[in-house]
Amino acid sequence: MEHSVDIAEFAAAFCKAQGAFEDVLKNAEVKTGSYNFRYATLDAIISSVRPALAVNNLSFMQMLVDGANGSGVETLIIHGSGQWIKSFHPIKIVKADNQSIGSALTYGRRYALSAILGIAVDSDDDGNEGDGKKIEGVTVKKSPAGISAAKVGVSEFFRNLEGCDDADSLDIYLDTSEAKKFAVKVCAEFPDLWVSADGAGLRGLIEKAGKRIGVEASTQTWLVKVEKAAKGAN
C-alpha cells in the first residue's frame, strides 16, 4: 500500500468513517455445483460505505491499471485535505472476452475496495466465473439502500403525476427520459413497487392518473412499452 507523505488528517477521518460503516448485506448467493456461498455485490458495498465516507470528507476511485505482475485494480481513497492511500489488487483474466474481463474486473474491484476499507463482504471465495468455474445460478437480493431509493423515487413520480392536470401535461411528463428510465428500472428490478395489491404500485398510480385525466388508452400503451423494455433489460 502507498500513501501521501502526511496522512494525519486522513487517518482521523478514516477512523470515524470506518466506525460508521453500515453492515454490508451479503445480497447474492451463488451455486457452483460443489458448494454455495453468499457475498455482497459491488453496488451493495458502495451503498453501505459511501454515506460514512462522504460525511467524513472521504471518497474513492478505482482504475484498471497494468502493474509489474500484470493487470489489476488500483483503489485510491482520498481525503479533502489532499491526503490519500492507495493499493493494487491483481486480477486474473482467463478468457479475453468482454464478459470474462468484466467479471474479473468487478471481482477485483469488490475485493480491493473491501480490503482497503477493512470490511467483510462474503462467506467464501467467489471468483468462479473469472477463474473459469461453472456457475449454475446466481441469486441477487436488492440492498435496503436500493429499495429505499426506489421508494423515494416512486413518491416523487407520484407527486409529478399529481401535478399533471390535462392530457398534454401528462404526455409531456411521461415522454421525458427520466420518467421512462425510472419506470423501466422499477418494473425490471422492483416488481413489488411496480404492481401492488392495494394499487399503490407505480403502475397503478400511472393508471389512475390516466383515468383521472381521461387518457386511459394512451396511458396503457405507454405502460405496455415500459414493460416490454423492462423485459429486455432483464
Side-chain angles (χ1 to χ4, degrees):
M1 185 178 73
E2 300 177 47
H3 57 77
S4 55
V5 176
D6 187 4
I7 61 169
E9 291 185 61
F10 174 94
F14 186 78
C15 287
K16 291 180 181 179
Q18 193 177 58
F21 288 159
E22 297 179 4
D23 291 337
V24 181
L25 174 69
K26 296 179 178 65
N27 62 325
E29 182 176 4
V30 173
K31 297 179 180 179
T32 65
S34 57
Y35 63 95
N36 301 343
F37 58 88
R38 299 183 63 81
Y39 70 93
T41 56
L42 182 61
D43 63 322
I45 298 170
I46 292 174
S47 294
S48 296
V49 302
R50 178 170 281 163
L53 290 173
V55 166
N56 289 283
N57 213 16
L58 294 164
S59 63
F60 69 89
M61 294 190 296
Q62 292 186 289
M63 299 148 282
L64 179 62
V65 300
D66 290 324
N69 298 316
S71 299
V73 176
E74 183 175 87
T75 302
L76 177 67
I77 310 294
I78 313 165
H79 183 251
S81 64
Q83 297 173 7
W84 52 270
I85 64 171
K86 70 177 180 180
S87 66
F88 176 81
H89 181 90
I91 57 175
K92 178 182 178 182
I93 301 173
V94 178
K95 298 179 181 179
D97 59 78
N98 291 336
Q99 186 173 0
S100 295
I101 294 172
S103 174
L105 179 58
T106 300
Y107 168 80
R109 287 186 63 196
R110 289 195 305 103
Y111 273 98
L113 186 59
S114 62
I116 201 169
L117 295 178
I119 55 178
V121 298
D122 65 359
S123 56
D124 207 332
D125 174 23
D126 68 308
N128 294 277
E129 188 171 351
D131 287 343
K133 297 178 183 178
K134 182 180 179 181
I135 294 179
E136 295 183 352
V138 180
T139 302
V140 179
K141 296 181 179 179
K142 301 301 176 185
S143 68
I147 295 173
S148 296
K151 288 181 178 179
V152 171
V154 169
S155 296
E156 183 177 348
F157 201 108
F158 174 66
R159 287 193 295 272
N160 289 331
L161 290 174
E162 287 290 283
C164 298
D165 54 11
D166 56 36
D168 288 341
S169 58
L170 181 61
D171 285 344
I172 290 172
Y173 174 61
L174 294 181
D175 197 44
T176 61
S177 60
E178 293 80 5
K180 292 176 182 176
K181 288 179 181 178
F182 181 74
V184 170
K185 180 179 179 65
V186 172
C187 183
E189 301 181 17
F190 304 94
D192 291 341
L193 296 180
W194 179 245
V195 177
S196 64
D198 60 2
L202 184 57
R203 194 186 203 286
L205 295 175
I206 296 170
E207 286 178 324
K208 289 177 182 178
K211 184 176 181 180
R212 171 172 57 83
I213 295 173
V215 289
E216 297 168 81
S218 60
T219 302
Q220 285 297 327
T221 299
W222 188 88
L223 289 168
V224 169
K225 290 180 180 179
V226 166
E227 290 170 338
K228 184 177 180 179
K231 287 182 180 179
N234 286 325

